[in-house]
Short mmCIF file of all heavy atoms in Angstrom, two decimals:
data_model
loop_
_atom_site.label_atom_id
_atom_site.label_comp_id
_atom_site.label_asym_id
_atom_site.label_seq_id
_atom_site.Cartn_x
_atom_site.Cartn_y
_atom_site.Cartn_z
N MET A 1 29.81 -16.97 -4.44
CA MET A 1 29.31 -16.29 -3.25
C MET A 1 30.42 -15.43 -2.63
O MET A 1 31.48 -15.91 -2.28
CB MET A 1 28.82 -17.31 -2.20
CG MET A 1 27.49 -17.93 -2.55
SD MET A 1 26.16 -16.73 -2.62
CE MET A 1 24.75 -17.82 -2.74
N GLY A 2 30.20 -14.15 -2.52
CA GLY A 2 31.17 -13.26 -1.92
C GLY A 2 30.52 -11.94 -1.56
O GLY A 2 29.31 -11.78 -1.67
N LYS A 3 31.33 -11.00 -1.17
CA LYS A 3 30.75 -9.72 -0.76
C LYS A 3 30.21 -8.91 -1.94
O LYS A 3 29.44 -7.99 -1.77
CB LYS A 3 31.76 -8.90 0.03
CG LYS A 3 33.02 -8.55 -0.76
CD LYS A 3 33.98 -7.78 0.15
CE LYS A 3 35.30 -7.49 -0.58
NZ LYS A 3 36.25 -6.80 0.29
N ASN A 4 30.63 -9.31 -3.19
CA ASN A 4 30.14 -8.60 -4.38
C ASN A 4 28.72 -9.02 -4.77
O ASN A 4 28.12 -8.41 -5.63
CB ASN A 4 31.09 -8.84 -5.56
CG ASN A 4 32.39 -8.06 -5.38
OD1 ASN A 4 32.39 -7.02 -4.72
ND2 ASN A 4 33.46 -8.55 -5.95
N ASP A 5 28.19 -10.05 -4.14
CA ASP A 5 26.83 -10.49 -4.44
C ASP A 5 25.82 -9.37 -4.25
O ASP A 5 24.76 -9.37 -4.87
CB ASP A 5 26.46 -11.68 -3.54
CG ASP A 5 27.18 -12.94 -3.98
OD1 ASP A 5 27.85 -12.89 -5.03
OD2 ASP A 5 27.05 -13.95 -3.29
N PHE A 6 26.13 -8.47 -3.39
CA PHE A 6 25.25 -7.34 -3.09
C PHE A 6 24.93 -6.51 -4.33
O PHE A 6 23.87 -5.91 -4.43
CB PHE A 6 25.94 -6.48 -2.03
CG PHE A 6 25.04 -5.41 -1.46
CD1 PHE A 6 24.04 -5.75 -0.55
CD2 PHE A 6 25.21 -4.09 -1.80
CE1 PHE A 6 23.21 -4.78 -0.02
CE2 PHE A 6 24.39 -3.10 -1.25
CZ PHE A 6 23.38 -3.45 -0.36
N LEU A 7 25.90 -6.52 -5.29
CA LEU A 7 25.75 -5.67 -6.47
C LEU A 7 25.29 -6.42 -7.72
O LEU A 7 25.15 -5.83 -8.78
CB LEU A 7 27.08 -4.97 -6.77
CG LEU A 7 27.54 -3.98 -5.68
CD1 LEU A 7 28.96 -3.52 -5.96
CD2 LEU A 7 26.60 -2.79 -5.62
N THR A 8 25.03 -7.70 -7.59
CA THR A 8 24.58 -8.46 -8.76
C THR A 8 23.15 -8.06 -9.11
O THR A 8 22.37 -7.67 -8.23
CB THR A 8 24.62 -9.98 -8.49
OG1 THR A 8 23.74 -10.25 -7.41
CG2 THR A 8 26.02 -10.44 -8.16
N PRO A 9 22.81 -8.13 -10.42
CA PRO A 9 21.43 -7.78 -10.84
C PRO A 9 20.38 -8.56 -10.06
O PRO A 9 19.33 -8.02 -9.73
CB PRO A 9 21.42 -8.18 -12.32
CG PRO A 9 22.85 -8.11 -12.75
CD PRO A 9 23.66 -8.50 -11.53
N LYS A 10 20.67 -9.80 -9.77
CA LYS A 10 19.70 -10.62 -9.04
C LYS A 10 19.48 -10.07 -7.63
O LYS A 10 18.35 -9.97 -7.15
CB LYS A 10 20.23 -12.06 -8.96
CG LYS A 10 19.13 -13.04 -8.63
CD LYS A 10 19.68 -14.46 -8.52
CE LYS A 10 18.61 -15.35 -7.89
NZ LYS A 10 19.20 -16.51 -7.24
N ALA A 11 20.58 -9.71 -6.98
CA ALA A 11 20.47 -9.17 -5.63
C ALA A 11 19.72 -7.84 -5.64
O ALA A 11 18.89 -7.58 -4.77
CB ALA A 11 21.87 -8.99 -5.04
N ILE A 12 20.01 -7.03 -6.64
CA ILE A 12 19.34 -5.73 -6.74
C ILE A 12 17.84 -5.94 -6.99
O ILE A 12 17.00 -5.31 -6.37
CB ILE A 12 19.98 -4.88 -7.87
CG1 ILE A 12 21.40 -4.47 -7.45
CG2 ILE A 12 19.13 -3.65 -8.16
CD1 ILE A 12 22.25 -3.91 -8.59
N ALA A 13 17.53 -6.89 -7.90
CA ALA A 13 16.12 -7.18 -8.20
C ALA A 13 15.40 -7.66 -6.95
O ALA A 13 14.26 -7.27 -6.68
CB ALA A 13 16.03 -8.23 -9.29
N ASN A 14 16.08 -8.48 -6.16
CA ASN A 14 15.48 -8.98 -4.93
C ASN A 14 15.19 -7.84 -3.95
O ASN A 14 14.16 -7.83 -3.28
CB ASN A 14 16.41 -10.00 -4.25
CG ASN A 14 16.28 -11.37 -4.89
OD1 ASN A 14 15.27 -11.65 -5.55
ND2 ASN A 14 17.28 -12.20 -4.72
N ARG A 15 16.11 -6.90 -3.89
CA ARG A 15 15.91 -5.77 -2.97
C ARG A 15 14.74 -4.90 -3.43
O ARG A 15 13.94 -4.47 -2.62
CB ARG A 15 17.18 -4.93 -2.87
CG ARG A 15 18.21 -5.53 -1.94
CD ARG A 15 19.19 -4.50 -1.43
NE ARG A 15 19.96 -3.87 -2.50
CZ ARG A 15 21.00 -4.43 -3.12
NH1 ARG A 15 21.39 -5.65 -2.78
NH2 ARG A 15 21.64 -3.79 -4.06
N ILE A 16 14.65 -4.67 -4.76
CA ILE A 16 13.54 -3.87 -5.28
C ILE A 16 12.22 -4.59 -5.01
O ILE A 16 11.23 -3.98 -4.60
CB ILE A 16 13.74 -3.63 -6.80
CG1 ILE A 16 14.92 -2.68 -7.00
CG2 ILE A 16 12.47 -3.04 -7.42
CD1 ILE A 16 15.37 -2.58 -8.45
N LYS A 17 12.22 -5.89 -5.21
CA LYS A 17 11.02 -6.69 -4.98
C LYS A 17 10.61 -6.61 -3.52
O LYS A 17 9.44 -6.40 -3.19
CB LYS A 17 11.32 -8.14 -5.37
CG LYS A 17 10.08 -8.93 -5.74
CD LYS A 17 10.50 -10.25 -6.36
CE LYS A 17 9.68 -11.39 -5.77
NZ LYS A 17 10.25 -12.70 -6.08
N ALA A 18 11.58 -6.75 -2.63
CA ALA A 18 11.30 -6.70 -1.20
C ALA A 18 10.74 -5.34 -0.82
O ALA A 18 9.80 -5.24 -0.04
CB ALA A 18 12.58 -6.99 -0.42
N LYS A 19 11.32 -4.32 -1.40
CA LYS A 19 10.86 -2.96 -1.11
C LYS A 19 9.44 -2.77 -1.63
O LYS A 19 8.60 -2.17 -0.97
CB LYS A 19 11.81 -1.96 -1.79
CG LYS A 19 11.73 -0.58 -1.15
CD LYS A 19 12.66 0.39 -1.86
CE LYS A 19 12.40 1.80 -1.36
NZ LYS A 19 12.93 2.79 -2.30
N GLY A 20 9.17 -3.31 -2.83
CA GLY A 20 7.84 -3.20 -3.41
C GLY A 20 6.80 -3.88 -2.53
O GLY A 20 5.73 -3.33 -2.30
N LEU A 21 7.12 -5.06 -2.05
CA LEU A 21 6.18 -5.79 -1.19
C LEU A 21 5.94 -5.02 0.09
O LEU A 21 4.82 -4.94 0.58
CB LEU A 21 6.74 -7.18 -0.88
CG LEU A 21 6.71 -8.17 -2.03
CD1 LEU A 21 7.42 -9.46 -1.64
CD2 LEU A 21 5.28 -8.49 -2.43
N GLN A 22 6.99 -4.47 0.62
CA GLN A 22 6.88 -3.71 1.86
C GLN A 22 5.96 -2.51 1.65
O GLN A 22 5.14 -2.17 2.50
CB GLN A 22 8.27 -3.23 2.27
CG GLN A 22 8.31 -2.72 3.70
CD GLN A 22 9.70 -2.20 4.03
OE1 GLN A 22 10.45 -1.81 3.16
NE2 GLN A 22 10.03 -2.19 5.29
N MET A 23 6.08 -1.88 0.47
CA MET A 23 5.26 -0.72 0.18
C MET A 23 3.81 -1.13 0.00
O MET A 23 2.92 -0.48 0.52
CB MET A 23 5.76 -0.04 -1.09
CG MET A 23 7.02 0.78 -0.83
SD MET A 23 7.53 1.68 -2.29
CE MET A 23 6.25 2.93 -2.34
N LEU A 24 3.57 -2.22 -0.72
CA LEU A 24 2.20 -2.66 -0.96
C LEU A 24 1.51 -3.04 0.34
O LEU A 24 0.30 -2.97 0.46
CB LEU A 24 2.20 -3.88 -1.89
CG LEU A 24 2.36 -3.55 -3.37
CD1 LEU A 24 2.49 -4.84 -4.16
CD2 LEU A 24 1.16 -2.77 -3.88
N ARG A 25 2.30 -3.41 1.31
CA ARG A 25 1.76 -3.85 2.59
C ARG A 25 0.94 -2.74 3.25
O ARG A 25 -0.05 -3.00 3.91
CB ARG A 25 2.93 -4.23 3.50
CG ARG A 25 2.53 -5.20 4.56
CD ARG A 25 3.75 -5.68 5.30
NE ARG A 25 3.34 -6.17 6.59
CZ ARG A 25 4.16 -6.38 7.60
NH1 ARG A 25 5.44 -6.14 7.45
NH2 ARG A 25 3.72 -6.83 8.74
N TRP A 26 1.36 -1.52 3.06
CA TRP A 26 0.67 -0.40 3.72
C TRP A 26 -0.10 0.44 2.71
O TRP A 26 -0.24 1.63 2.86
CB TRP A 26 1.69 0.45 4.49
CG TRP A 26 2.52 -0.37 5.39
CD1 TRP A 26 3.87 -0.54 5.34
CD2 TRP A 26 2.06 -1.18 6.49
NE1 TRP A 26 4.26 -1.40 6.34
CE2 TRP A 26 3.17 -1.81 7.03
CE3 TRP A 26 0.80 -1.44 7.02
CZ2 TRP A 26 3.09 -2.68 8.12
CZ3 TRP A 26 0.69 -2.31 8.09
CH2 TRP A 26 1.83 -2.90 8.63
N TYR A 27 -0.60 -0.24 1.67
CA TYR A 27 -1.36 0.45 0.64
C TYR A 27 -2.85 0.31 0.95
O TYR A 27 -3.35 -0.80 1.12
CB TYR A 27 -1.02 -0.17 -0.72
CG TYR A 27 -1.68 0.53 -1.88
CD1 TYR A 27 -1.25 1.78 -2.28
CD2 TYR A 27 -2.72 -0.08 -2.58
CE1 TYR A 27 -1.85 2.42 -3.34
CE2 TYR A 27 -3.31 0.55 -3.64
CZ TYR A 27 -2.87 1.80 -4.02
OH TYR A 27 -3.46 2.43 -5.08
N CYS A 28 -3.55 1.44 1.01
CA CYS A 28 -4.99 1.41 1.21
C CYS A 28 -5.65 1.39 -0.16
O CYS A 28 -5.60 2.39 -0.88
CB CYS A 28 -5.45 2.62 2.02
SG CYS A 28 -7.24 2.62 2.25
N GLN A 29 -6.21 0.24 -0.53
CA GLN A 29 -6.78 0.09 -1.87
C GLN A 29 -8.02 0.96 -2.04
O GLN A 29 -8.28 1.47 -3.12
CB GLN A 29 -7.15 -1.38 -2.10
CG GLN A 29 -5.91 -2.23 -2.36
CD GLN A 29 -6.27 -3.47 -3.13
OE1 GLN A 29 -7.19 -4.19 -2.75
NE2 GLN A 29 -5.57 -3.75 -4.19
N MET A 30 -8.75 1.12 -0.98
CA MET A 30 -9.98 1.90 -1.05
C MET A 30 -9.70 3.36 -1.39
O MET A 30 -10.39 3.95 -2.22
CB MET A 30 -10.71 1.80 0.29
CG MET A 30 -12.18 2.00 0.16
SD MET A 30 -13.01 1.44 1.64
CE MET A 30 -12.15 2.34 2.89
N CYS A 31 -8.69 3.91 -0.77
CA CYS A 31 -8.36 5.32 -1.02
C CYS A 31 -7.26 5.44 -2.07
O CYS A 31 -6.92 6.53 -2.49
CB CYS A 31 -7.88 5.99 0.26
SG CYS A 31 -9.01 5.80 1.63
N GLN A 32 -6.70 4.30 -2.46
CA GLN A 32 -5.56 4.28 -3.37
C GLN A 32 -4.45 5.17 -2.82
O GLN A 32 -3.86 5.99 -3.52
CB GLN A 32 -5.99 4.73 -4.76
CG GLN A 32 -7.08 3.83 -5.31
CD GLN A 32 -7.38 4.10 -6.77
OE1 GLN A 32 -7.02 5.14 -7.31
NE2 GLN A 32 -8.01 3.16 -7.42
N LYS A 33 -4.19 4.95 -1.56
CA LYS A 33 -3.16 5.75 -0.90
C LYS A 33 -2.07 4.85 -0.34
O LYS A 33 -2.36 3.84 0.29
CB LYS A 33 -3.77 6.56 0.24
CG LYS A 33 -2.77 7.46 0.91
CD LYS A 33 -3.42 8.25 2.04
CE LYS A 33 -2.38 8.83 2.97
NZ LYS A 33 -1.48 9.77 2.31
N GLN A 34 -0.84 5.23 -0.60
CA GLN A 34 0.30 4.46 -0.11
C GLN A 34 0.82 5.09 1.19
O GLN A 34 1.08 6.28 1.24
CB GLN A 34 1.41 4.48 -1.16
CG GLN A 34 2.70 3.80 -0.71
CD GLN A 34 2.47 2.33 -0.47
OE1 GLN A 34 2.05 1.59 -1.35
NE2 GLN A 34 2.74 1.88 0.74
N CYS A 35 0.93 4.24 2.21
CA CYS A 35 1.45 4.73 3.48
C CYS A 35 2.88 4.23 3.68
O CYS A 35 3.25 3.17 3.19
CB CYS A 35 0.58 4.27 4.63
SG CYS A 35 -1.09 4.96 4.51
N ARG A 36 3.63 4.99 4.39
CA ARG A 36 5.05 4.71 4.57
C ARG A 36 5.29 3.46 5.42
O ARG A 36 6.13 2.64 5.12
CB ARG A 36 5.70 5.92 5.25
CG ARG A 36 7.10 6.20 4.86
CD ARG A 36 7.43 7.67 5.10
NE ARG A 36 6.61 8.30 6.12
CZ ARG A 36 6.98 8.47 7.38
NH1 ARG A 36 8.14 8.05 7.77
NH2 ARG A 36 6.19 9.07 8.23
N ASP A 37 4.54 3.33 6.51
CA ASP A 37 4.76 2.21 7.42
C ASP A 37 3.47 1.92 8.19
O ASP A 37 2.42 2.50 7.92
CB ASP A 37 5.91 2.53 8.38
CG ASP A 37 5.72 3.88 9.04
OD1 ASP A 37 4.56 4.34 9.13
OD2 ASP A 37 6.73 4.47 9.44
N GLU A 38 3.56 1.00 9.14
CA GLU A 38 2.39 0.58 9.90
C GLU A 38 1.74 1.77 10.60
O GLU A 38 0.52 1.93 10.60
CB GLU A 38 2.79 -0.47 10.93
CG GLU A 38 1.57 -1.04 11.64
CD GLU A 38 1.95 -2.13 12.62
OE1 GLU A 38 3.15 -2.38 12.82
OE2 GLU A 38 1.02 -2.72 13.19
N ASN A 39 2.57 2.59 11.19
CA ASN A 39 2.05 3.75 11.92
C ASN A 39 1.33 4.71 10.97
O ASN A 39 0.25 5.22 11.27
CB ASN A 39 3.21 4.47 12.62
CG ASN A 39 2.69 5.41 13.68
OD1 ASN A 39 1.79 5.05 14.44
ND2 ASN A 39 3.22 6.61 13.72
N GLY A 40 1.93 4.93 9.81
CA GLY A 40 1.32 5.80 8.82
C GLY A 40 -0.01 5.25 8.35
O GLY A 40 -0.97 5.99 8.14
N PHE A 41 -0.06 3.92 8.19
CA PHE A 41 -1.29 3.28 7.73
C PHE A 41 -2.39 3.42 8.78
O PHE A 41 -3.55 3.69 8.46
CB PHE A 41 -1.01 1.80 7.45
CG PHE A 41 -2.16 1.10 6.79
CD1 PHE A 41 -2.44 1.34 5.45
CD2 PHE A 41 -2.93 0.19 7.49
CE1 PHE A 41 -3.50 0.68 4.84
CE2 PHE A 41 -3.99 -0.46 6.88
CZ PHE A 41 -4.27 -0.22 5.55
N LYS A 42 -2.01 3.23 10.05
CA LYS A 42 -2.99 3.38 11.13
C LYS A 42 -3.52 4.80 11.18
O LYS A 42 -4.72 5.02 11.35
CB LYS A 42 -2.32 3.04 12.48
CG LYS A 42 -2.28 1.54 12.73
CD LYS A 42 -1.64 1.27 14.09
CE LYS A 42 -1.45 -0.22 14.32
NZ LYS A 42 -0.53 -0.46 15.44
N CYS A 43 -2.61 5.75 11.02
CA CYS A 43 -3.02 7.16 11.02
C CYS A 43 -3.98 7.42 9.86
O CYS A 43 -4.98 8.10 10.01
CB CYS A 43 -1.80 8.07 10.89
SG CYS A 43 -0.89 8.22 12.43
N HIS A 44 -3.66 6.83 8.72
CA HIS A 44 -4.50 7.03 7.54
C HIS A 44 -5.90 6.45 7.79
O HIS A 44 -6.90 7.07 7.43
CB HIS A 44 -3.87 6.38 6.32
CG HIS A 44 -4.84 6.23 5.19
ND1 HIS A 44 -5.31 7.30 4.46
CD2 HIS A 44 -5.48 5.13 4.71
CE1 HIS A 44 -6.19 6.86 3.58
NE2 HIS A 44 -6.31 5.56 3.70
N CYS A 45 -5.96 5.26 8.40
CA CYS A 45 -7.25 4.60 8.64
C CYS A 45 -8.13 5.43 9.57
O CYS A 45 -9.35 5.30 9.55
CB CYS A 45 -7.03 3.21 9.22
SG CYS A 45 -6.46 2.03 7.99
N MET A 46 -7.52 6.24 10.40
CA MET A 46 -8.30 7.07 11.32
C MET A 46 -8.56 8.46 10.74
O MET A 46 -9.27 9.26 11.34
CB MET A 46 -7.54 7.19 12.65
CG MET A 46 -7.62 5.90 13.46
SD MET A 46 -6.90 6.08 15.09
CE MET A 46 -5.16 6.05 14.72
N SER A 47 -7.97 8.71 9.59
CA SER A 47 -8.11 10.04 9.00
C SER A 47 -9.52 10.26 8.44
O SER A 47 -10.24 9.30 8.13
CB SER A 47 -7.08 10.23 7.90
OG SER A 47 -7.45 9.47 6.77
N GLU A 48 -9.87 11.51 8.31
CA GLU A 48 -11.21 11.87 7.84
C GLU A 48 -11.45 11.37 6.42
O GLU A 48 -12.51 10.88 6.09
CB GLU A 48 -11.35 13.39 7.89
CG GLU A 48 -12.80 13.85 8.01
CD GLU A 48 -12.87 15.37 8.01
OE1 GLU A 48 -12.15 16.00 8.79
OE2 GLU A 48 -13.63 15.90 7.20
N SER A 49 -10.45 11.51 5.58
CA SER A 49 -10.61 11.12 4.17
C SER A 49 -10.88 9.61 4.05
O SER A 49 -11.68 9.19 3.24
CB SER A 49 -9.38 11.52 3.36
OG SER A 49 -8.24 10.84 3.83
N HIS A 50 -10.20 8.83 4.89
CA HIS A 50 -10.41 7.38 4.84
C HIS A 50 -11.81 7.03 5.35
O HIS A 50 -12.50 6.19 4.76
CB HIS A 50 -9.35 6.67 5.68
CG HIS A 50 -9.50 5.18 5.68
ND1 HIS A 50 -8.99 4.37 4.68
CD2 HIS A 50 -10.13 4.35 6.54
CE1 HIS A 50 -9.31 3.11 4.96
NE2 HIS A 50 -10.00 3.07 6.08
N GLN A 51 -12.22 7.67 6.43
CA GLN A 51 -13.55 7.41 6.99
C GLN A 51 -14.63 7.75 5.97
O GLN A 51 -15.62 7.03 5.82
CB GLN A 51 -13.76 8.24 8.27
CG GLN A 51 -12.77 7.92 9.39
CD GLN A 51 -13.00 6.55 10.01
OE1 GLN A 51 -14.08 6.00 9.92
NE2 GLN A 51 -11.96 6.01 10.64
N ARG A 52 -14.44 8.86 5.26
CA ARG A 52 -15.40 9.27 4.24
C ARG A 52 -15.45 8.24 3.13
O ARG A 52 -16.50 7.86 2.63
CB ARG A 52 -14.97 10.64 3.67
CG ARG A 52 -16.15 11.39 3.05
CD ARG A 52 -15.67 12.69 2.43
NE ARG A 52 -14.89 13.49 3.37
CZ ARG A 52 -13.80 14.15 3.06
NH1 ARG A 52 -13.34 14.12 1.82
NH2 ARG A 52 -13.15 14.84 3.95
N GLN A 53 -14.29 7.75 2.76
CA GLN A 53 -14.19 6.74 1.71
C GLN A 53 -14.90 5.47 2.14
O GLN A 53 -15.57 4.81 1.34
CB GLN A 53 -12.70 6.47 1.44
CG GLN A 53 -12.37 6.00 0.06
CD GLN A 53 -12.66 7.02 -1.02
OE1 GLN A 53 -12.82 8.19 -0.77
NE2 GLN A 53 -12.76 6.57 -2.24
N MET A 54 -14.79 5.15 3.44
CA MET A 54 -15.45 3.97 4.00
C MET A 54 -16.96 4.10 3.86
O MET A 54 -17.66 3.16 3.50
CB MET A 54 -15.11 3.84 5.50
CG MET A 54 -13.73 3.30 5.75
SD MET A 54 -13.70 1.51 5.81
CE MET A 54 -14.23 1.26 7.51
N LEU A 55 -17.48 5.29 4.16
CA LEU A 55 -18.92 5.53 4.07
C LEU A 55 -19.39 5.38 2.63
O LEU A 55 -20.40 4.73 2.36
CB LEU A 55 -19.24 6.94 4.58
CG LEU A 55 -19.22 7.11 6.10
CD1 LEU A 55 -19.39 8.58 6.46
CD2 LEU A 55 -20.31 6.29 6.76
N ILE A 56 -18.65 5.97 1.71
CA ILE A 56 -19.01 5.88 0.29
C ILE A 56 -19.00 4.43 -0.16
O ILE A 56 -19.91 3.95 -0.83
CB ILE A 56 -18.03 6.72 -0.57
CG1 ILE A 56 -18.18 8.20 -0.23
CG2 ILE A 56 -18.29 6.49 -2.06
CD1 ILE A 56 -17.06 9.07 -0.80
N PHE A 57 -17.98 3.71 0.27
CA PHE A 57 -17.85 2.30 -0.09
C PHE A 57 -19.00 1.49 0.48
O PHE A 57 -19.59 0.64 -0.19
CB PHE A 57 -16.51 1.76 0.44
CG PHE A 57 -16.24 0.35 0.00
CD1 PHE A 57 -15.74 0.10 -1.27
CD2 PHE A 57 -16.48 -0.71 0.85
CE1 PHE A 57 -15.48 -1.20 -1.68
CE2 PHE A 57 -16.23 -2.01 0.44
CZ PHE A 57 -15.73 -2.25 -0.82
N GLY A 58 -19.37 1.78 1.75
CA GLY A 58 -20.45 1.06 2.40
C GLY A 58 -21.79 1.30 1.73
O GLY A 58 -22.63 0.40 1.64
N GLU A 59 -21.97 2.51 1.24
CA GLU A 59 -23.24 2.86 0.60
C GLU A 59 -23.35 2.30 -0.82
O GLU A 59 -24.42 1.99 -1.29
CB GLU A 59 -23.39 4.39 0.54
CG GLU A 59 -23.79 4.99 1.89
CD GLU A 59 -23.65 6.50 1.86
OE1 GLU A 59 -23.44 7.07 0.78
OE2 GLU A 59 -23.73 7.09 2.95
N ASN A 60 -22.22 2.24 -1.48
CA ASN A 60 -22.26 1.89 -2.89
C ASN A 60 -21.03 1.07 -3.30
O ASN A 60 -20.20 1.52 -4.09
CB ASN A 60 -22.32 3.19 -3.71
CG ASN A 60 -23.08 2.96 -5.00
OD1 ASN A 60 -23.26 1.83 -5.43
ND2 ASN A 60 -23.51 4.04 -5.63
N PRO A 61 -20.91 -0.14 -2.74
CA PRO A 61 -19.69 -0.94 -2.99
C PRO A 61 -19.47 -1.27 -4.45
O PRO A 61 -18.35 -1.26 -4.93
CB PRO A 61 -19.90 -2.21 -2.16
CG PRO A 61 -21.33 -2.22 -1.76
CD PRO A 61 -21.86 -0.82 -1.85
N ASN A 62 -20.56 -1.58 -5.18
CA ASN A 62 -20.40 -1.99 -6.57
C ASN A 62 -19.77 -0.90 -7.43
O ASN A 62 -18.90 -1.17 -8.25
CB ASN A 62 -21.76 -2.38 -7.17
CG ASN A 62 -22.29 -3.65 -6.54
OD1 ASN A 62 -21.50 -4.49 -6.11
ND2 ASN A 62 -23.59 -3.78 -6.46
N ARG A 63 -20.22 0.31 -7.21
CA ARG A 63 -19.71 1.41 -8.02
C ARG A 63 -18.21 1.60 -7.79
O ARG A 63 -17.45 1.80 -8.72
CB ARG A 63 -20.46 2.70 -7.67
CG ARG A 63 -20.33 3.74 -8.76
CD ARG A 63 -20.85 5.07 -8.27
NE ARG A 63 -20.00 5.58 -7.22
CZ ARG A 63 -20.29 6.64 -6.46
NH1 ARG A 63 -21.43 7.25 -6.62
NH2 ARG A 63 -19.48 7.05 -5.53
N ILE A 64 -17.81 1.53 -6.53
CA ILE A 64 -16.40 1.73 -6.20
C ILE A 64 -15.55 0.62 -6.81
O ILE A 64 -14.51 0.87 -7.40
CB ILE A 64 -16.20 1.75 -4.66
CG1 ILE A 64 -17.04 2.85 -4.03
CG2 ILE A 64 -14.73 1.92 -4.33
CD1 ILE A 64 -16.56 4.26 -4.31
N VAL A 65 -16.03 -0.61 -6.71
CA VAL A 65 -15.26 -1.74 -7.26
C VAL A 65 -15.11 -1.60 -8.76
O VAL A 65 -14.04 -1.81 -9.32
CB VAL A 65 -15.94 -3.08 -6.89
CG1 VAL A 65 -15.28 -4.23 -7.65
CG2 VAL A 65 -15.84 -3.33 -5.39
N GLU A 66 -16.20 -1.19 -9.42
CA GLU A 66 -16.12 -0.98 -10.86
C GLU A 66 -15.12 0.13 -11.19
O GLU A 66 -14.37 0.02 -12.14
CB GLU A 66 -17.50 -0.59 -11.41
CG GLU A 66 -18.37 -1.81 -11.65
CD GLU A 66 -19.82 -1.42 -11.90
OE1 GLU A 66 -20.06 -0.28 -12.27
OE2 GLU A 66 -20.68 -2.29 -11.70
N GLY A 67 -15.14 1.16 -10.37
CA GLY A 67 -14.22 2.27 -10.58
C GLY A 67 -12.78 1.83 -10.46
O GLY A 67 -11.92 2.27 -11.21
N LEU A 68 -12.51 0.91 -9.52
CA LEU A 68 -11.14 0.44 -9.33
C LEU A 68 -10.69 -0.44 -10.48
O LEU A 68 -9.53 -0.44 -10.84
CB LEU A 68 -11.03 -0.36 -8.01
CG LEU A 68 -11.08 0.49 -6.74
CD1 LEU A 68 -11.10 -0.42 -5.53
CD2 LEU A 68 -9.87 1.41 -6.67
N LEU A 69 -11.64 -1.18 -11.05
CA LEU A 69 -11.28 -2.08 -12.14
C LEU A 69 -11.26 -1.30 -13.44
O LEU A 69 -10.56 -1.55 -14.33
CB LEU A 69 -12.30 -3.23 -12.24
CG LEU A 69 -12.31 -4.17 -11.05
CD1 LEU A 69 -13.50 -5.12 -11.16
CD2 LEU A 69 -11.03 -4.99 -10.97
ZN1 ZN B 1 -7.91 4.59 3.23
#
């Protein structure tokens, strides 16, 4: 344990993993859109494209789910 731990492969992998989780946190699966942060995600949820996607999903959920899979 020392200050060089920051550069070990394990430490780097942990940072990448943490960053990945943080990114997935603000991912809109319905629109398949990645948002930068909470504010960006909120903005996206109020955006026209997201609302339209919501309507499409509400009308035809099965088709959208199949499309995602
Ligand atoms: Zn969306």
Side-chain angles (χ1 to χ4, degrees):
M1 285 297 190
K3 61 182 176 182
N4 287 333
D5 286 354
F6 190 75
L7 295 171
T8 61
K10 198 182 168 204
I12 291 167
N14 279 340
R15 280 202 299 282
I16 291 169
K17 205 169 134 194
K19 201 181 171 199
L21 287 174
Q22 194 183 24
M23 283 184 72
L24 280 174
R25 204 172 158 196
W26 309 118
Y27 184 72
C28 179
Q29 285 204 309
M30 206 164 54
C31 307
Q32 301 189 343
K33 183 180 163 62
Q34 176 64 58
C35 297
R36 213 156 25 98
D37 50 25
E38 186 177 6
N39 196 44
F41 188 74
K42 278 181 186 165
C43 283
H44 165 71
C45 285
M46 286 186 284
S47 73
E48 205 182 309
S49 63
H50 180 84
Q51 299 290 339
R52 203 183 308 139
Q53 207 65 17
M54 284 272 278
L55 284 173
I56 295 168
F57 185 80
E59 283 169 10
N60 211 342
N62 291 331
R63 200 191 66 190
I64 302 289
V65 170
E66 277 168 20
L68 286 175
L69 294 171

